[in-house]
Amino acid sequence: MPGSSFSALILIADGTEEMEFTITYDTFVRAGIACTSAYVAADEGESASPGPIIATGSRGIKFLPDVLFSDINQIHGTAKFDALIIPGGAKGAATISECAGVQALVRDYIDHGKIVGMICAGSLAARTAKLPSQPLTSHPSVKEQLANDFLYSEEPVVVSGKLVTSRGPGTTFPFALTIVSMLLGPDKRKEVAGPMIFPEGTPW
């Protein structure tokens, strides 16, 4: 809708897959979606350390998150955001999906009809948050942990109501563009995908 503004909360932890975080963030910004990155600490002592928090991705790239996830309610309020994004990367996804605060937020967003995007091993958060059985996908490495509780799919991107899941680094562009389309419509997706030279005719 003209004049509408949307925002996304994108989680990150040590071990987050860099492409899944960066491509999603970048694609959203191109679409005019305001992004906030929130660092999920593996332990409380890490959050309490003095100085800026640096997240080290799965390939060693350093990121400076905007806020600590533990502070997000005080600073922004989680209700501000229209979408919640959980990237993968084995270590990062484990930290994020096992965080009780993240699990509660996933359930709250789904209950209030807000978009929750999970990609790669980030889809484990659907299980830890105890979401009901529904279609989803993930990186093949965590398929066995999800297939018994969900209607597992091999599709690059799976949309189930407001839950959007995807497979890995190579499917991050269609994952992000799908969420852009859900928030802002298919015309905005085309507007963003064009200058990216995202291949025309790609089925997803």
Side-chain angles (χ1 to χ4, degrees), residues 190-202:
K190 291 179 183 178
E191 178 186 322
V192 172
M196 286 180 168
I197 319 300
F198 189 73
E200 291 187 20
T202 301

Side-chain angles (χ1 to χ4, degrees), residues 61-72:
I61 299 176
K62 308 288 187 182
F63 294 90
L64 182 64
D66 296 312
V67 294
L68 294 169
F69 179 74
S70 57
D71 293 339
I72 196 70

Side-chain angles (χ1 to χ4, degrees), residues 59-138:
R59 270 68 187 171
I61 299 176
K62 308 288 187 182
F63 294 90
L64 182 64
D66 296 312
V67 294
L68 294 169
F69 179 74
S70 57
D71 293 339
I72 196 70
N73 267 321
Q74 296 176 0
I75 298 172
H76 292 288
T78 53
K80 163 189 173 179
F81 303 99
D82 302 291
L84 170 67
I85 307 300
I86 301 175
K91 180 182 175 184
T95 296
I96 293 171
S97 66
E98 291 167 9
C99 173
V102 171
Q103 295 165 14
L105 190 58
V106 167
R107 292 190 294 268
D108 183 66
Y109 267 46
I110 292 295
D111 288 346
H112 286 86
K114 293 189 175 187
I115 293 172
V116 176
M118 303 174 181
I119 183 167
C120 194
S123 294
L124 289 172
R127 179 175 62 83
T128 59
K130 295 182 171 56
L131 296 186
S133 179
Q134 59 193 294
L136 60 59
T137 191
S138 71

Side-chain angles (χ1 to χ4, degrees), residues 16-191:
T16 289
E17 214 295 324
E18 288 93 337
M19 290 174 65
E20 294 163 9
F21 175 84
T22 305
I23 292 171
T24 302
Y25 196 117
D26 180 279
T27 302
F28 285 3
V29 170
R30 289 168 187 258
I33 300 168
C35 296
T36 297
S37 58
Y39 178 79
V40 181
D43 59 68
E44 289 302 317
E46 190 176 2
S47 297
S49 300
I53 292 292
I54 303 295
T56 302
S58 60
R59 270 68 187 171
I61 299 176
K62 308 288 187 182
F63 294 90
L64 182 64
D66 296 312
V67 294
L68 294 169
F69 179 74
S70 57
D71 293 339
I72 196 70
N73 267 321
Q74 296 176 0
I75 298 172
H76 292 288
T78 53
K80 163 189 173 179
F81 303 99
D82 302 291
L84 170 67
I85 307 300
I86 301 175
K91 180 182 175 184
T95 296
I96 293 171
S97 66
E98 291 167 9
C99 173
V102 171
Q103 295 165 14
L105 190 58
V106 167
R107 292 190 294 268
D108 183 66
Y109 267 46
I110 292 295
D111 288 346
H112 286 86
K114 293 189 175 187
I115 293 172
V116 176
M118 303 174 181
I119 183 167
C120 194
S123 294
L124 289 172
R127 179 175 62 83
T128 59
K130 295 182 171 56
L131 296 186
S133 179
Q134 59 193 294
L136 60 59
T137 191
S138 71
H139 192 273
S141 64
V142 297
K143 175 180 178 178
E144 290 186 3
Q145 299 179 59
L146 295 166
N148 289 335
D149 298 317
F150 296 93
L151 303 175
Y152 197 86
S153 171
E154 306 285 348
E155 291 296 314
V157 180
V158 175
V159 179
S160 174
K162 296 294 185 176
L163 177 65
V164 183
T165 54
S166 188
R167 308 216 74 195
T171 64
T172 308
F173 281 108
F175 168 75
L177 288 168
T178 295
I179 296 172
V180 167
S181 184
M182 291 173 71
L183 284 174
L184 295 161
D187 288 344
K188 176 60 72 171
R189 174 185 172 131
K190 291 179 183 178
E191 178 186 322

